[in-house]
Every structure is written in structure tokens, then in C-alpha cells.
């Protein structure tokens, strides 16, 4: 049974820092891995999708990597801003379902 | 244009009532899902449909009955609501496998 874990559960950093969020999964048989952002009381916004054959994806200040064999993904956020404050979720795609991690609650202090 | 839209956004109802949540996607996707986000913010799959056919029912009580009248719609009907059903319910869609999933804004259900 696939299990997805995110570390740390919560993170508070001063503005401008570079930071890394971690996601690990127990079964490497995945179709893709997707990172989402969720603001309080809101839906999920897709940030980056890494297909199983890819190693990384970049969008602006965000970079996500995927190492299927070790069951790990990292989301790197460069030059963090207060507007980055949110919960970040990773999800791995199995057969007809996405299995979510436990989330990292990020707070960037001005 | 909203890609995945759910209605209503908020739903407050008494225990024992029956309620429905509607979901529509305009992305032409084949697969739709219902997820439940509990009070600890953990997102868990409830159902997935592919081309209107139920593919996954993740041990959800049979008080929950999804219905897909066509590929663009997946509605969720809940009978005899219980306090423990209070949560945020998210609808999502994707192509069959591989490409990214898109989520609706969620329906916050409160059972009193």
C-alpha cells in the first residue's frame, strides 16, 4: 500500500531564504508526482508535475526533483516571499488515484 | 472559465438529512475523482470514475453514492448525514493516467 510522507510538517522562515520541502513514498511504481499549494480555506493549486520518466521540473522560483528508485521528491523554493505562505502537498499518481502526503505548512515571515 | 467547478461551496445541514454536491469539469478529461479532506487537512481518495464507470471505491460507507451522468459531471449524494461526515470534499479530474490533476475549490460540509 502506497504511503506518502512529507517532512517537515511545519516550517517558519524569514523572507528571502531558500528552502527545501521533502516528500517520500514507499512504492516506486508511480505514473507521476505532483506538487500542490493550498491556501487556508481554499482549493488546491497545481505547482509542478513531474512525470515518472523525468528527473525535475522548474517553474519560476520553484524546482521539483524526483528520484523514483529511492522514493523521494524535493520541492525547492528560491528567495522565499511572504506570499509563499501556504500548505504544500505532494501527491503520487497510482492507478486511477492520487495519494497525498501529509503536507508541509510553510510560513514566510516579512 | 473555471476548469473544475463544485456547488455548493458551503453546506450546513442537520444530522440525518440527505444532501448532494455537484461537480463539473470543462477540460475534456476522462477521469474524475472525489476526495475528502478531514479536520487534520489530510486528503484521501473516496471514488474515481473513468468514462462514467466506477473504478475505485475506497471503502467509503454506502451512504455515499457517486453518480456520473456523463464524462464531464460527477455528483456525490450523501444519505443520512452524520457528524463525522463534516469535512471539505474536493472534486478533481485528469486524463486517464499521466497528465496533471485539476481540483475544484472544495465544498465545506458541516453537519450539526
Amino acid at each position: 500500500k502506497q504511503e506518502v510522507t512529507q517532512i517537515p510538517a511545519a516550517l517558519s522562515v524569514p523572507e528571502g531564504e531558500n528552502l527545501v520541502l521533502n516528500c517520500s513514498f514507499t512504492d516506486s511504481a508511480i505514473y507521476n508526482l505532483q506538487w500542490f499549494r493550498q491556501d487556508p480555506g481554499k482549493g488546491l493549486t497545481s505547482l509542478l508535475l513531474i512525470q515518472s520518466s523525468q528527473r525535475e521540473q522548474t517553474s519560476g522560483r520553484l524546482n521539483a526533483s524526483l528520484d523514483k528508485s529511492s522514493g523521494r521528491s524535493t520541492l525547492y523554493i528560491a528567495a522565499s516571499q511572504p506570499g509563499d505562505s501556504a500548505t504544500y502537498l505532494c501527491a503520487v499518481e497510482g492507478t486511477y488515484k492520487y495519494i497525498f502526503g501529509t503536507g508541509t505548512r510553510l510560513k514566510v515571515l516579512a | 472559465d473555471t476548469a473544475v467547478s463544485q456547488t455548493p461551496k458551503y453546506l450546513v445541514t442537520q444530522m440525518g438529512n440527505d444532501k448532494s454536491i455537484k461537480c463539473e469539469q470543462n477540460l475534456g478529461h476522462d477521469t474524475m475523482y472525489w476526495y475528502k479532506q478531514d479536520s487534520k487537512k489530510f486528503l484521501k481518495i473516496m471514488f474515481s470514475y473513468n468514462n462514467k464507470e466506477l473504478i475505485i471505491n475506497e471503502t467509503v460507507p454506502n451512504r455515499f453514492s457517486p453518480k456520473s451522468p456523463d464524462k464531464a459531471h460527477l455528483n456525490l449524494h450523501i444519505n443520512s448525514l452524520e457528524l463525522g461526515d463534516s469535512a471539505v470534499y474536493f472534486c478533481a479530474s485528469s486524463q486517464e493516467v499521466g497528465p496533471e490533476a485539476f481540483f475544484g475549490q472544495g465544498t465545506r460540509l458541516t453537519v450539526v
Side-chain angles (χ1 to χ4, degrees), chain B residues 22-38:
Chain B
K22 295 187 175 181
C23 178
E24 176 181 6
Q25 54 95 4
N26 62 7
L27 298 165
H29 287 163
D30 298 321
T31 306
M32 295 185 73
Y33 314 82
W34 278 109
Y35 279 82
K36 179 179 181 180
Q37 188 171 43
D38 60 25

